[in-house]
Amino acid sequence: MQEFIENWGYIAVFLGSLVEGESIILLAGLAAHEGYLSIYKVTLIAFLGTLVADQGLYFVGHYYGRAFLDKFPSQQERIAKAFRLLHRYDNLFILTFRFIYGIRILSPLVIGASGIPVKRFVILNFFAAVIWSVLSCAGAFYFAHLIMDELHLLPKIILGATMFGAGMIYGIYWWRKRRSD
């Protein structure tokens, strides 16, 4: 298994980071923690993969515009959401869309179709890719450390999460009951 991870792990990181690659990054963080992969190489490859994918999608949106997006009727609600967020938050949206569930892949298409200049997107996309890859890979590596080295904390984490969830359920129940009275 170690040989398989060492031979194919970096390729999997690149391919996974071309799409919503958080699950691949999480596994790569675990492999890096165990010494099968280098966390620095994982971070660099994740950066390159997300940069290439989002730049490519931006150019599809830039050259084919709204007409291309209209070919996906089932995605129109998500596309509209991405346009709203882009118009409202502008540069901040471009820097953070990778962290927004449900519109991550559509966002570069929308940004390209919206007329954002190429130079502006390239610069912001570069910094956004750095932020995403560093945070995702460092988070995955730390999570692997927490799970692998601090496994004795797992029962406490589960207990805490259960208590928090029960408290939230009770709070919602109480709030709804009070509201209906």
Side-chain angles (χ1 to χ4, degrees):
M1 186 66 159
Q2 178 179 350
E3 185 178 335
F4 179 80
I5 293 171
E6 290 171 350
N7 289 335
W8 296 98
Y10 295 118
I11 294 169
V13 169
F14 182 76
L15 295 174
S17 62
L18 290 173
V19 293
E20 295 189 38
E22 284 77 10
S23 56
I24 294 293
I25 298 302
L26 186 62
L27 293 172
L30 179 62
H33 178 270
E34 294 302 299
Y36 300 135
L37 301 175
S38 162
I39 192 63
Y40 303 110
K41 288 180 183 177
V42 167
T43 305
L44 177 63
I45 292 167
F47 162 77
L48 292 172
T50 194
L51 185 71
V52 166
D54 292 330
Q55 206 61 57
L57 290 170
Y58 167 83
F59 282 116
V60 170
H62 181 74
Y63 289 113
Y64 297 103
R66 185 64 199 214
F68 179 79
L69 295 172
D70 290 340
K71 293 180 180 184
F72 304 96
S74 65
Q75 298 299 315
Q76 291 309 305
E77 187 176 315
R78 290 178 180 191
I79 290 168
K81 179 180 179 181
F83 269 113
R84 282 192 308 273
L85 289 169
L86 177 62
H87 291 304
R88 184 166 184 191
Y89 297 106
D90 201 45
N91 290 339
L92 182 62
F93 177 74
I94 296 171
L95 290 170
T96 60
F97 71 81
R98 285 173 175 83
F99 299 98
I100 304 173
Y101 178 76
I103 60 170
R104 192 247 189 271
I105 292 180
L106 293 171
S107 293
L109 291 164
V110 167
I111 295 166
S114 72
I116 297 289
V118 173
K119 182 178 177 182
R120 182 169 148 208
F121 182 75
V122 167
I123 292 168
L124 290 172
N125 189 43
F126 178 86
F127 288 111
V130 168
I131 293 166
W132 178 83
S133 58
V134 168
L135 288 179
S136 296
C137 293
F141 190 80
Y142 177 74
F143 182 73
H145 167 74
L146 182 68
I147 295 300
M148 300 306 288
D149 295 345
E150 306 294 336
L151 203 54
H152 65 278
L153 294 176
L154 195 57
K156 293 177 184 176
I157 293 170
I158 292 171
L159 177 62
T162 302
M163 290 175 64
F164 178 76
M168 290 296 294
I169 291 169
Y170 176 75
I172 291 169
Y173 169 78
W174 178 80
W175 178 74
R176 293 181 100 190
K177 185 177 179 184
R178 250 188 105 167
R179 202 167 164 205
S180 66
D181 290 340

